[in-house]
Amino acid sequence: MSDQLRPRASLRTAVVWEVLKDALDRQVKATGRDALDVLDTGGGTGNFAVPVARLGHRVTVVDPSPNALFALERRAAEAGVADRVRGVQGDILGLFDVVERGGYDTALCHGVLEYVDDPAEGVRNAVDALRPAGALSLLAAGLGGAVLARALAGHFTEARTALSDPAGRWGEGDPMPRRYTAEQLTELVSAAGAEVSAVHGVRVFADLVPGVLVDTEPGAMEALLKLETAAAELPAFHSVATQLHVLGAKHA
């Protein structure tokens, strides 16, 4: 796929983007409509919203930051999709104060559950925003990846702390408010009224490989991306991924 149709081909977004694009393609076939209504909760400056709009879909971004929404507007205009991207100030816990319930074919909830006070309500709202059989794309920080990273950095006590902490934090200095296991995320999705269709581990290796090696070794970036893609669907690697991606479908 050309870079024009996806976010910059980076290790942080490429695996999720490929899964999301496939899900959108399936929704197009299922609905018989070329243009879908997509909701991006916490979509910020449009890392996913703008590429989704480039595919021809209508995207509503809900984000609490006015600065992020301003950057989104500028980014959408530069990409030539301003007419298909709408930014609305709000958050996932007050979602239906600003958007329609049951009005979307696909909902993105990327990097949101780590920060909300009530993750279960957040997922319920994302699912309730969907039409019957709508698709949910959920991305959140993985517990195992953080534990592995702390241990490899020699911070063994912090790694053990994260394992036993209910929020998966390694200490007071941890900038991440909450992390999840694959089981926790799939339970949230199921409890919200959606069926889990796939789980992917994201950045299984990327955060562990020295950047200098990827930047200087010919072909290393492409090879690492292929490795990430191959490992993403294998359950054995979900427990060490930096992020976890869950794809679900609202019950019809």
Side-chain angles (χ1 to χ4, degrees), residues 20 30 47 70 86 101 113 118 145 155 169 204 213 215 244:
L20 177 60
N47 284 343
F70 178 77
R86 179 173 72 105
R101 189 184 297 267
L113 295 187
D118 190 339
H155 303 300
R169 304 182 76 233
V204 174
L213 181 122
D215 294 337
L244 293 164

Side-chain angles (χ1 to χ4, degrees), residues 101-169:
R101 189 184 297 267
Y104 297 90
D105 301 295
T106 302
L108 280 58
C109 183
H110 294 174
V112 173
L113 295 187
E114 297 92 329
Y115 300 96
V116 296
D117 293 333
D118 190 339
E121 182 183 352
V123 179
R124 279 197 305 272
N125 285 351
V127 172
D128 287 348
L130 291 168
R131 293 168 178 145
L136 173 69
S137 175
L138 183 66
L139 181 68
L143 170 63
V147 172
L148 185 61
R150 299 317 287 174
L152 290 177
H155 303 300
F156 306 122
T157 300
E158 291 179 350
R160 192 178 75 247
T161 298
L163 274 176
S164 58
D165 184 73
R169 304 182 76 233

